[in-house]
PDB file of all heavy atoms in Angstrom:
ATOM      1  N   GLY A  19     117.668  88.212 115.029  1.00 97.00           N
ATOM      2  CA  GLY A  19     116.917  87.002 115.346  1.00 97.00           C
ATOM      3  C   GLY A  19     116.834  86.066 114.147  1.00 97.00           C
ATOM      4  O   GLY A  19     116.901  84.845 114.299  1.00 97.00           O
ATOM      5  N   ALA A  20     116.687  86.641 112.946  1.00 97.00           N
ATOM      6  CA  ALA A  20     116.644  85.829 111.726  1.00 97.00           C
ATOM      7  C   ALA A  20     117.977  85.125 111.509  1.00 97.00           C
ATOM      8  O   ALA A  20     118.026  83.946 111.130  1.00 97.00           O
ATOM      9  CB  ALA A  20     116.291  86.704 110.525  1.00 97.00           C
ATOM     10  N   CYS A  21     119.076  85.846 111.754  1.00 97.00           N
ATOM     11  CA  CYS A  21     120.412  85.255 111.599  1.00 97.00           C
ATOM     12  C   CYS A  21     120.594  84.091 112.576  1.00 97.00           C
ATOM     13  O   CYS A  21     121.133  83.032 112.203  1.00 97.00           O
ATOM     14  CB  CYS A  21     121.482  86.314 111.836  1.00 97.00           C
ATOM     15  SG  CYS A  21     121.543  87.610 110.576  1.00 97.00           S
ATOM     16  N   ASP A  22     120.177  84.281 113.819  1.00 97.00           N
ATOM     17  CA  ASP A  22     120.276  83.209 114.817  1.00 97.00           C
ATOM     18  C   ASP A  22     119.473  81.983 114.386  1.00 97.00           C
ATOM     19  O   ASP A  22     119.927  80.846 114.517  1.00 97.00           O
ATOM     20  CB  ASP A  22     119.768  83.703 116.180  1.00 97.00           C
ATOM     21  CG  ASP A  22     120.768  84.591 116.895  1.00 97.00           C
ATOM     22  OD1 ASP A  22     121.963  84.539 116.549  1.00 97.00           O
ATOM     23  OD2 ASP A  22     120.351  85.346 117.795  1.00 97.00           O
ATOM     24  N   PHE A  23     118.262  82.212 113.883  1.00 97.00           N
ATOM     25  CA  PHE A  23     117.401  81.104 113.442  1.00 97.00           C
ATOM     26  C   PHE A  23     118.080  80.307 112.325  1.00 97.00           C
ATOM     27  O   PHE A  23     118.082  79.072 112.340  1.00 97.00           O
ATOM     28  CB  PHE A  23     116.058  81.645 112.963  1.00 97.00           C
ATOM     29  CG  PHE A  23     115.113  80.567 112.490  1.00 97.00           C
ATOM     30  CD1 PHE A  23     114.261  79.936 113.379  1.00 97.00           C
ATOM     31  CD2 PHE A  23     115.091  80.184 111.153  1.00 97.00           C
ATOM     32  CE1 PHE A  23     113.401  78.927 112.946  1.00 97.00           C
ATOM     33  CE2 PHE A  23     114.235  79.189 110.712  1.00 97.00           C
ATOM     34  CZ  PHE A  23     113.387  78.563 111.606  1.00 97.00           C
ATOM     35  N   ILE A  24     118.654  81.004 111.348  1.00 97.00           N
ATOM     36  CA  ILE A  24     119.318  80.322 110.227  1.00 97.00           C
ATOM     37  C   ILE A  24     120.494  79.498 110.725  1.00 97.00           C
ATOM     38  O   ILE A  24     120.673  78.338 110.331  1.00 97.00           O
ATOM     39  CB  ILE A  24     119.781  81.344 109.170  1.00 97.00           C
ATOM     40  CG1 ILE A  24     118.570  82.054 108.558  1.00 97.00           C
ATOM     41  CG2 ILE A  24     120.597  80.649 108.075  1.00 97.00           C
ATOM     42  CD1 ILE A  24     118.929  83.270 107.724  1.00 97.00           C
ATOM     43  N   ASN A  25     121.306  80.082 111.606  1.00 96.00           N
ATOM     44  CA  ASN A  25     122.468  79.354 112.118  1.00 96.00           C
ATOM     45  C   ASN A  25     122.071  78.119 112.914  1.00 96.00           C
ATOM     46  O   ASN A  25     122.769  77.098 112.882  1.00 96.00           O
ATOM     47  CB  ASN A  25     123.334  80.285 112.978  1.00 96.00           C
ATOM     48  CG  ASN A  25     124.255  81.146 112.145  1.00 96.00           C
ATOM     49  OD1 ASN A  25     124.661  80.761 111.049  1.00 96.00           O
ATOM     50  ND2 ASN A  25     124.590  82.324 112.649  1.00 96.00           N
ATOM     51  N   ARG A  26     120.951  78.190 113.625  1.00 96.00           N
ATOM     52  CA  ARG A  26     120.477  77.034 114.396  1.00 96.00           C
ATOM     53  C   ARG A  26     119.866  75.961 113.496  1.00 96.00           C
ATOM     54  O   ARG A  26     119.963  74.765 113.781  1.00 96.00           O
ATOM     55  CB  ARG A  26     119.421  77.456 115.424  1.00 96.00           C
ATOM     56  CG  ARG A  26     119.925  78.245 116.597  1.00 96.00           C
ATOM     57  CD  ARG A  26     118.882  78.277 117.718  1.00 96.00           C
ATOM     58  NE  ARG A  26     117.552  78.649 117.245  1.00 96.00           N
ATOM     59  CZ  ARG A  26     117.086  79.894 117.213  1.00 96.00           C
ATOM     60  NH1 ARG A  26     117.862  80.883 117.625  1.00 96.00           N
ATOM     61  NH2 ARG A  26     115.857  80.150 116.793  1.00 96.00           N
ATOM     62  N   THR A  27     119.235  76.401 112.414  1.00 95.00           N
ATOM     63  CA  THR A  27     118.405  75.498 111.622  1.00 95.00           C
ATOM     64  C   THR A  27     119.147  74.852 110.456  1.00 95.00           C
ATOM     65  O   THR A  27     118.974  73.650 110.191  1.00 95.00           O
ATOM     66  CB  THR A  27     117.174  76.257 111.071  1.00 95.00           C
ATOM     67  OG1 THR A  27     116.502  76.905 112.158  1.00 95.00           O
ATOM     68  CG2 THR A  27     116.205  75.306 110.387  1.00 95.00           C
ATOM     69  N   ILE A  28     119.951  75.617 109.745  1.00 93.00           N
ATOM     70  CA  ILE A  28     120.669  75.102 108.571  1.00 93.00           C
ATOM     71  C   ILE A  28     122.036  74.607 109.024  1.00 93.00           C
ATOM     72  O   ILE A  28     122.904  75.401 109.386  1.00 93.00           O
ATOM     73  CB  ILE A  28     120.826  76.194 107.492  1.00 93.00           C
ATOM     74  CG1 ILE A  28     119.478  76.787 107.119  1.00 93.00           C
ATOM     75  CG2 ILE A  28     121.520  75.617 106.255  1.00 93.00           C
ATOM     76  CD1 ILE A  28     118.552  75.857 106.395  1.00 93.00           C
ATOM     77  N   LYS A  29     122.214  73.304 109.025  1.00 89.00           N
ATOM     78  CA  LYS A  29     123.446  72.716 109.565  1.00 89.00           C
ATOM     79  C   LYS A  29     124.591  72.735 108.558  1.00 89.00           C
ATOM     80  O   LYS A  29     125.730  73.021 108.909  1.00 89.00           O
ATOM     81  CB  LYS A  29     123.183  71.270 110.013  1.00 89.00           C
ATOM     82  CG  LYS A  29     122.098  71.145 111.082  1.00 89.00           C
ATOM     83  CD  LYS A  29     122.418  71.974 112.315  1.00 89.00           C
ATOM     84  CE  LYS A  29     121.335  71.839 113.381  1.00 89.00           C
ATOM     85  NZ  LYS A  29     121.598  72.726 114.530  1.00 89.00           N
ATOM     86  N   ARG A  30     124.299  72.387 107.300  1.00 87.00           N
ATOM     87  CA  ARG A  30     125.348  72.370 106.287  1.00 87.00           C
ATOM     88  C   ARG A  30     125.472  73.746 105.648  1.00 87.00           C
ATOM     89  O   ARG A  30     124.512  74.517 105.600  1.00 87.00           O
ATOM     90  CB  ARG A  30     125.034  71.323 105.211  1.00 87.00           C
ATOM     91  CG  ARG A  30     124.917  69.913 105.769  1.00 87.00           C
ATOM     92  CD  ARG A  30     124.658  68.907 104.672  1.00 87.00           C
ATOM     93  NE  ARG A  30     125.801  68.783 103.782  1.00 87.00           N
ATOM     94  CZ  ARG A  30     125.825  67.993 102.714  1.00 87.00           C
ATOM     95  NH1 ARG A  30     124.747  67.284 102.388  1.00 87.00           N
ATOM     96  NH2 ARG A  30     126.892  67.918 101.951  1.00 87.00           N
ATOM     97  N   LYS A  31     126.651  74.032 105.132  1.00 89.00           N
ATOM     98  CA  LYS A  31     126.891  75.343 104.536  1.00 89.00           C
ATOM     99  C   LYS A  31     125.928  75.598 103.397  1.00 89.00           C
ATOM    100  O   LYS A  31     125.716  74.755 102.534  1.00 89.00           O
ATOM    101  CB  LYS A  31     128.334  75.450 104.034  1.00 89.00           C
ATOM    102  CG  LYS A  31     128.680  76.846 103.537  1.00 89.00           C
ATOM    103  CD  LYS A  31     130.151  76.986 103.251  1.00 89.00           C
ATOM    104  CE  LYS A  31     130.471  78.419 102.827  1.00 89.00           C
ATOM    105  NZ  LYS A  31     131.909  78.615 102.587  1.00 89.00           N
ATOM    106  N   ALA A  32     125.324  76.789 103.384  1.00 93.00           N
ATOM    107  CA  ALA A  32     124.336  77.159 102.375  1.00 93.00           C
ATOM    108  C   ALA A  32     124.669  78.537 101.811  1.00 93.00           C
ATOM    109  O   ALA A  32     125.513  79.263 102.344  1.00 93.00           O
ATOM    110  CB  ALA A  32     122.932  77.162 102.975  1.00 93.00           C
ATOM    111  N   LEU A  33     123.989  78.858 100.716  1.00 94.00           N
ATOM    112  CA  LEU A  33     124.061  80.208 100.152  1.00 94.00           C
ATOM    113  C   LEU A  33     122.805  80.944 100.606  1.00 94.00           C
ATOM    114  O   LEU A  33     121.693  80.558 100.246  1.00 94.00           O
ATOM    115  CB  LEU A  33     124.130  80.141  98.625  1.00 94.00           C
ATOM    116  CG  LEU A  33     124.092  81.472  97.874  1.00 94.00           C
ATOM    117  CD1 LEU A  33     125.238  82.386  98.298  1.00 94.00           C
ATOM    118  CD2 LEU A  33     124.130  81.235  96.364  1.00 94.00           C
ATOM    119  N   VAL A  34     122.987  81.969 101.425  1.00 97.00           N
ATOM    120  CA  VAL A  34     121.861  82.699 102.009  1.00 97.00           C
ATOM    121  C   VAL A  34     121.716  84.063 101.345  1.00 97.00           C
ATOM    122  O   VAL A  34     122.667  84.851 101.306  1.00 97.00           O
ATOM    123  CB  VAL A  34     122.054  82.888 103.532  1.00 97.00           C
ATOM    124  CG1 VAL A  34     120.904  83.718 104.109  1.00 97.00           C
ATOM    125  CG2 VAL A  34     122.145  81.547 104.232  1.00 97.00           C
ATOM    126  N   PHE A  35     120.526  84.323 100.807  1.00 97.00           N
ATOM    127  CA  PHE A  35     120.185  85.655 100.299  1.00 97.00           C
ATOM    128  C   PHE A  35     119.302  86.326 101.343  1.00 97.00           C
ATOM    129  O   PHE A  35     118.213  85.842 101.638  1.00 97.00           O
ATOM    130  CB  PHE A  35     119.443  85.564  98.968  1.00 97.00           C
ATOM    131  CG  PHE A  35     120.276  85.093  97.816  1.00 97.00           C
ATOM    132  CD1 PHE A  35     120.322  83.749  97.476  1.00 97.00           C
ATOM    133  CD2 PHE A  35     121.027  85.985  97.074  1.00 97.00           C
ATOM    134  CE1 PHE A  35     121.091  83.308  96.418  1.00 97.00           C
ATOM    135  CE2 PHE A  35     121.805  85.559  96.010  1.00 97.00           C
ATOM    136  CZ  PHE A  35     121.834  84.213  95.676  1.00 97.00           C
ATOM    137  N   MET A  36     119.777  87.427 101.903  1.00 98.00           N
ATOM    138  CA  MET A  36     119.006  88.185 102.881  1.00 98.00           C
ATOM    139  C   MET A  36     118.382  89.378 102.166  1.00 98.00           C
ATOM    140  O   MET A  36     119.087  90.301 101.743  1.00 98.00           O
ATOM    141  CB  MET A  36     119.913  88.657 104.020  1.00 98.00           C
ATOM    142  CG  MET A  36     119.238  89.483 105.083  1.00 98.00           C
ATOM    143  SD  MET A  36     118.263  88.517 106.248  1.00 98.00           S
ATOM    144  CE  MET A  36     119.556  87.702 107.216  1.00 98.00           C
ATOM    145  N   LEU A  37     117.055  89.346 102.003  1.00 98.00           N
ATOM    146  CA  LEU A  37     116.341  90.430 101.334  1.00 98.00           C
ATOM    147  C   LEU A  37     115.616  91.261 102.385  1.00 98.00           C
ATOM    148  O   LEU A  37     114.694  90.789 103.052  1.00 98.00           O
ATOM    149  CB  LEU A  37     115.329  89.872 100.326  1.00 98.00           C
ATOM    150  CG  LEU A  37     115.901  89.210  99.076  1.00 98.00           C
ATOM    151  CD1 LEU A  37     116.147  87.722  99.307  1.00 98.00           C
ATOM    152  CD2 LEU A  37     114.956  89.388  97.884  1.00 98.00           C
ATOM    153  N   SER A  38     116.044  92.523 102.536  1.00 97.00           N
ATOM    154  CA  SER A  38     115.505  93.383 103.581  1.00 97.00           C
ATOM    155  C   SER A  38     115.800  94.831 103.230  1.00 97.00           C
ATOM    156  O   SER A  38     116.619  95.113 102.342  1.00 97.00           O
ATOM    157  CB  SER A  38     116.142  93.014 104.929  1.00 97.00           C
ATOM    158  OG  SER A  38     115.731  93.908 105.956  1.00 97.00           O
ATOM    159  N   ASP A  39     115.123  95.767 103.921  1.00 95.00           N
ATOM    160  CA  ASP A  39     115.529  97.168 103.789  1.00 95.00           C
ATOM    161  C   ASP A  39     116.624  97.500 104.800  1.00 95.00           C
ATOM    162  O   ASP A  39     117.195  98.583 104.765  1.00 95.00           O
ATOM    163  CB  ASP A  39     114.331  98.116 103.954  1.00 95.00           C
ATOM    164  CG  ASP A  39     113.547  97.856 105.239  1.00 95.00           C
ATOM    165  OD1 ASP A  39     114.070  97.181 106.147  1.00 95.00           O
ATOM    166  OD2 ASP A  39     112.394  98.325 105.321  1.00 95.00           O
ATOM    167  N   PHE A  40     116.901  96.561 105.705  1.00 96.00           N
ATOM    168  CA  PHE A  40     117.951  96.686 106.722  1.00 96.00           C
ATOM    169  C   PHE A  40     117.754  97.912 107.602  1.00 96.00           C
ATOM    170  O   PHE A  40     118.720  98.506 108.098  1.00 96.00           O
ATOM    171  CB  PHE A  40     119.351  96.682 106.072  1.00 96.00           C
ATOM    172  CG  PHE A  40     119.693  95.356 105.446  1.00 96.00           C
ATOM    173  CD1 PHE A  40     119.450  95.132 104.098  1.00 96.00           C
ATOM    174  CD2 PHE A  40     120.210  94.321 106.204  1.00 96.00           C
ATOM    175  CE1 PHE A  40     119.738  93.906 103.517  1.00 96.00           C
ATOM    176  CE2 PHE A  40     120.499  93.087 105.640  1.00 96.00           C
ATOM    177  CZ  PHE A  40     120.269  92.874 104.293  1.00 96.00           C
ATOM    178  N   VAL A  41     116.481  98.300 107.780  1.00 92.00           N
ATOM    179  CA  VAL A  41     116.161  99.375 108.726  1.00 92.00           C
ATOM    180  C   VAL A  41     115.963  98.719 110.089  1.00 92.00           C
ATOM    181  O   VAL A  41     114.860  98.340 110.482  1.00 92.00           O
ATOM    182  CB  VAL A  41     114.904 100.151 108.283  1.00 92.00           C
ATOM    183  CG1 VAL A  41     114.594 101.271 109.285  1.00 92.00           C
ATOM    184  CG2 VAL A  41     115.099 100.734 106.891  1.00 92.00           C
ATOM    185  N   ASP A  42     117.053  98.565 110.803  1.00 93.00           N
ATOM    186  CA  ASP A  42     117.061  97.860 112.090  1.00 93.00           C
ATOM    187  C   ASP A  42     118.337  98.256 112.817  1.00 93.00           C
ATOM    188  O   ASP A  42     119.245  98.856 112.225  1.00 93.00           O
ATOM    189  CB  ASP A  42     116.995  96.349 111.840  1.00 93.00           C
ATOM    190  CG  ASP A  42     116.732  95.550 113.109  1.00 93.00           C
ATOM    191  OD1 ASP A  42     116.326  96.161 114.111  1.00 93.00           O
ATOM    192  OD2 ASP A  42     116.941  94.323 113.104  1.00 93.00           O
ATOM    193  N   ASN A  43     118.430  97.917 114.074  1.00 92.00           N
ATOM    194  CA  ASN A  43     119.617  98.251 114.862  1.00 92.00           C
ATOM    195  C   ASN A  43     120.203  96.997 115.504  1.00 92.00           C
ATOM    196  O   ASN A  43     119.492  96.019 115.760  1.00 92.00           O
ATOM    197  CB  ASN A  43     119.256  99.247 115.976  1.00 92.00           C
ATOM    198  CG  ASN A  43     118.769 100.579 115.423  1.00 92.00           C
ATOM    199  OD1 ASN A  43     119.432 101.178 114.587  1.00 92.00           O
ATOM    200  ND2 ASN A  43     117.611 101.026 115.873  1.00 92.00           N
ATOM    201  N   GLY A  44     121.501  97.036 115.738  1.00 94.00           N
ATOM    202  CA  GLY A  44     122.156  96.006 116.530  1.00 94.00           C
ATOM    203  C   GLY A  44     122.256  94.635 115.885  1.00 94.00           C
ATOM    204  O   GLY A  44     122.319  93.635 116.597  1.00 94.00           O
ATOM    205  N   PHE A  45     122.262  94.579 114.560  1.00 96.00           N
ATOM    206  CA  PHE A  45     122.295  93.272 113.898  1.00 96.00           C
ATOM    207  C   PHE A  45     123.612  92.982 113.184  1.00 96.00           C
ATOM    208  O   PHE A  45     123.815  91.866 112.695  1.00 96.00           O
ATOM    209  CB  PHE A  45     121.149  93.160 112.884  1.00 96.00           C
ATOM    210  CG  PHE A  45     121.268  94.108 111.714  1.00 96.00           C
ATOM    211  CD1 PHE A  45     121.973  93.751 110.579  1.00 96.00           C
ATOM    212  CD2 PHE A  45     120.664  95.355 111.761  1.00 96.00           C
ATOM    213  CE1 PHE A  45     122.083  94.625 109.504  1.00 96.00           C
ATOM    214  CE2 PHE A  45     120.769  96.229 110.684  1.00 96.00           C
ATOM    215  CZ  PHE A  45     121.482  95.863 109.556  1.00 96.00           C
ATOM    216  N   HIS A  46     124.513  93.958 113.097  1.00 96.00           N
ATOM    217  CA  HIS A  46     125.718  93.797 112.285  1.00 96.00           C
ATOM    218  C   HIS A  46     126.559  92.587 112.708  1.00 96.00           C
ATOM    219  O   HIS A  46     127.009  91.799 111.867  1.00 96.00           O
ATOM    220  CB  HIS A  46     126.577  95.069 112.343  1.00 96.00           C
ATOM    221  CG  HIS A  46     125.932  96.240 111.669  1.00 96.00           C
ATOM    222  ND1 HIS A  46     126.440  97.520 111.750  1.00 96.00           N
ATOM    223  CD2 HIS A  46     124.806  96.337 110.903  1.00 96.00           C
ATOM    224  CE1 HIS A  46     125.672  98.352 111.069  1.00 96.00           C
ATOM    225  NE2 HIS A  46     124.669  97.657 110.553  1.00 96.00           N
ATOM    226  N   LYS A  47     126.768  92.431 113.996  1.00 96.00           N
ATOM    227  CA  LYS A  47     127.607  91.323 114.484  1.00 96.00           C
ATOM    228  C   LYS A  47     126.961  89.975 114.181  1.00 96.00           C
ATOM    229  O   LYS A  47     127.643  89.017 113.784  1.00 96.00           O
ATOM    230  CB  LYS A  47     127.842  91.472 115.999  1.00 96.00           C
ATOM    231  CG  LYS A  47     128.920  90.542 116.532  1.00 96.00           C
ATOM    232  CD  LYS A  47     129.243  90.878 117.978  1.00 96.00           C
ATOM    233  CE  LYS A  47     130.340  89.951 118.508  1.00 96.00           C
ATOM    234  NZ  LYS A  47     130.675  90.264 119.923  1.00 96.00           N
ATOM    235  N   LYS A  48     125.654  89.868 114.357  1.00 97.00           N
ATOM    236  CA  LYS A  48     124.947  88.612 114.073  1.00 97.00           C
ATOM    237  C   LYS A  48     125.004  88.284 112.580  1.00 97.00           C
ATOM    238  O   LYS A  48     125.120  87.114 112.186  1.00 97.00           O
ATOM    239  CB  LYS A  48     123.486  88.707 114.518  1.00 97.00           C
ATOM    240  CG  LYS A  48     123.297  88.800 116.020  1.00 97.00           C
ATOM    241  CD  LYS A  48     123.588  87.471 116.701  1.00 97.00           C
ATOM    242  CE  LYS A  48     123.216  87.520 118.175  1.00 97.00           C
ATOM    243  NZ  LYS A  48     123.449  86.237 118.866  1.00 97.00           N
ATOM    244  N   LEU A  49     124.916  89.324 111.743  1.00 96.00           N
ATOM    245  CA  LEU A  49     125.025  89.124 110.300  1.00 96.00           C
ATOM    246  C   LEU A  49     126.426  88.627 109.947  1.00 96.00           C
ATOM    247  O   LEU A  49     126.593  87.767 109.074  1.00 96.00           O
ATOM    248  CB  LEU A  49     124.719  90.432 109.565  1.00 96.00           C
ATOM    249  CG  LEU A  49     124.500  90.338 108.049  1.00 96.00           C
ATOM    250  CD1 LEU A  49     123.286  89.479 107.722  1.00 96.00           C
ATOM    251  CD2 LEU A  49     124.336  91.738 107.451  1.00 96.00           C
ATOM    252  N   GLY A  50     127.428  89.149 110.654  1.00 96.00           N
ATOM    253  CA  GLY A  50     128.798  88.681 110.451  1.00 96.00           C
ATOM    254  C   GLY A  50     128.967  87.227 110.841  1.00 96.00           C
ATOM    255  O   GLY A  50     129.636  86.451 110.150  1.00 96.00           O
ATOM    256  N   THR A  51     128.355  86.829 111.960  1.00 96.00           N
ATOM    257  CA  THR A  51     128.402  85.424 112.391  1.00 96.00           C
ATOM    258  C   THR A  51     127.746  84.521 111.352  1.00 96.00           C
ATOM    259  O   THR A  51     128.238  83.432 111.045  1.00 96.00           O
ATOM    260  CB  THR A  51     127.694  85.258 113.747  1.00 96.00           C
ATOM    261  OG1 THR A  51     128.321  86.110 114.704  1.00 96.00           O
ATOM    262  CG2 THR A  51     127.766  83.821 114.230  1.00 96.00           C
ATOM    263  N   LEU A  52     126.630  84.980 110.798  1.00 97.00           N
ATOM    264  CA  LEU A  52     125.950  84.216 109.749  1.00 97.00           C
ATOM    265  C   LEU A  52     126.860  84.038 108.542  1.00 97.00           C
ATOM    266  O   LEU A  52     126.955  82.939 107.980  1.00 97.00           O
ATOM    267  CB  LEU A  52     124.666  84.946 109.330  1.00 97.00           C
ATOM    268  CG  LEU A  52     123.880  84.312 108.174  1.00 97.00           C
ATOM    269  CD1 LEU A  52     123.269  82.984 108.599  1.00 97.00           C
ATOM    270  CD2 LEU A  52     122.786  85.262 107.676  1.00 97.00           C
ATOM    271  N   SER A  53     127.551  85.101 108.148  1.00 96.00           N
ATOM    272  CA  SER A  53     128.400  85.044 106.954  1.00 96.00           C
ATOM    273  C   SER A  53     129.614  84.148 107.152  1.00 96.00           C
ATOM    274  O   SER A  53     130.201  83.658 106.187  1.00 96.00           O
ATOM    275  CB  SER A  53     128.863  86.455 106.563  1.00 96.00           C
ATOM    276  OG  SER A  53     129.813  86.951 107.495  1.00 96.00           O
ATOM    277  N   GLN A  54     130.009  83.922 108.412  1.00 95.00           N
ATOM    278  CA  GLN A  54     131.129  83.020 108.683  1.00 95.00           C
ATOM    279  C   GLN A  54     130.728  81.559 108.515  1.00 95.00           C
ATOM    280  O   GLN A  54     131.541  80.716 108.142  1.00 95.00           O
ATOM    281  CB  GLN A  54     131.664  83.267 110.097  1.00 95.00           C
ATOM    282  CG  GLN A  54     132.390  84.601 110.242  1.00 95.00           C
ATOM    283  CD  GLN A  54     132.657  84.969 111.690  1.00 95.00           C
ATOM    284  OE1 GLN A  54     132.292  84.242 112.614  1.00 95.00           O
ATOM    285  NE2 GLN A  54     133.290  86.110 111.903  1.00 95.00           N
ATOM    286  N   LYS A  55     129.463  81.263 108.769  1.00 95.00           N
ATOM    287  CA  LYS A  55     128.979  79.885 108.649  1.00 95.00           C
ATOM    288  C   LYS A  55     128.401  79.604 107.270  1.00 95.00           C
ATOM    289  O   LYS A  55     128.570  78.516 106.713  1.00 95.00           O
ATOM    290  CB  LYS A  55     127.918  79.614 109.720  1.00 95.00           C
ATOM    291  CG  LYS A  55     127.434  78.169 109.727  1.00 95.00           C
ATOM    292  CD  LYS A  55     126.475  77.901 110.879  1.00 95.00           C
ATOM    293  CE  LYS A  55     126.006  76.454 110.870  1.00 95.00           C
ATOM    294  NZ  LYS A  55     125.048  76.166 111.956  1.00 95.00           N
ATOM    295  N   HIS A  56     127.686  80.584 106.712  1.00 95.00           N
ATOM    296  CA  HIS A  56     127.045  80.423 105.406  1.00 95.00           C
ATOM    297  C   HIS A  56     127.476  81.551 104.482  1.00 95.00           C
ATOM    298  O   HIS A  56     127.674  82.683 104.919  1.00 95.00           O
ATOM    299  CB  HIS A  56     125.525  80.439 105.539  1.00 95.00           C
ATOM    300  CG  HIS A  56     124.977  79.381 106.454  1.00 95.00           C
ATOM    301  ND1 HIS A  56     124.997  78.045 106.136  1.00 95.00           N
ATOM    302  CD2 HIS A  56     124.409  79.470 107.681  1.00 95.00           C
ATOM    303  CE1 HIS A  56     124.452  77.347 107.125  1.00 95.00           C
ATOM    304  NE2 HIS A  56     124.090  78.193 108.074  1.00 95.00           N
ATOM    305  N   GLU A  57     127.594  81.233 103.200  1.00 94.00           N
ATOM    306  CA  GLU A  57     127.880  82.273 102.217  1.00 94.00           C
ATOM    307  C   GLU A  57     126.663  83.193 102.161  1.00 94.00           C
ATOM    308  O   GLU A  57     125.552  82.736 101.892  1.00 94.00           O
ATOM    309  CB  GLU A  57     128.135  81.627 100.855  1.00 94.00           C
ATOM    310  CG  GLU A  57     128.890  82.517  99.902  1.00 94.00           C
ATOM    311  CD  GLU A  57     129.359  81.753  98.669  1.00 94.00           C
ATOM    312  OE1 GLU A  57     129.240  80.514  98.655  1.00 94.00           O
ATOM    313  OE2 GLU A  57     129.818  82.410  97.742  1.00 94.00           O
ATOM    314  N   THR A  58     126.871  84.478 102.416  1.00 96.00           N
ATOM    315  CA  THR A  58     125.749  85.391 102.594  1.00 96.00           C
ATOM    316  C   THR A  58     125.798  86.545 101.599  1.00 96.00           C
ATOM    317  O   THR A  58     126.847  87.163 101.405  1.00 96.00           O
ATOM    318  CB  THR A  58     125.736  85.954 104.028  1.00 96.00           C
ATOM    319  OG1 THR A  58     125.719  84.856 104.960  1.00 96.00           O
ATOM    320  CG2 THR A  58     124.521  86.831 104.269  1.00 96.00           C
ATOM    321  N   ILE A  59     124.659  86.815 100.974  1.00 96.00           N
ATOM    322  CA  ILE A  59     124.526  87.952 100.063  1.00 96.00           C
ATOM    323  C   ILE A  59     123.368  88.812 100.560  1.00 96.00           C
ATOM    324  O   ILE A  59     122.277  88.310 100.818  1.00 96.00           O
ATOM    325  CB  ILE A  59     124.256  87.492  98.620  1.00 96.00           C
ATOM    326  CG1 ILE A  59     125.458  86.688  98.080  1.00 96.00           C
ATOM    327  CG2 ILE A  59     123.977  88.685  97.709  1.00 96.00           C
ATOM    328  CD1 ILE A  59     125.221  86.080  96.714  1.00 96.00           C
TER     329      ILE A  59
END
């Protein structure tokens, strides 16, 4: 959901730092979509 929000909200290419413990399920593909639009770390 966070990845979707960023893709909808940030129009120009940005550098995104995702700080999380990544204890979640089913987010890998959305994270990949985010990294295609924005440089993601």
Side-chain angles (χ1 to χ4, degrees):
C21 292
D22 283 340
F23 180 88
I24 296 168
N25 278 332
R26 289 195 311 268
T27 307
I28 305 292
K29 301 303 180 184
R30 300 182 67 182
K31 186 171 183 178
L33 175 58
V34 177
F35 291 93
M36 179 78 72
L37 290 89
S38 175
D39 53 16
F40 293 94
V41 180
D42 191 15
N43 296 308
F45 66 88
H46 292 171
K47 192 172 181 180
K48 293 288 188 178
L49 192 63
T51 302
L52 176 68
S53 71
Q54 290 168 359
K55 184 175 180 181
H56 302 290
E57 200 169 351
T58 305
I59 296 174

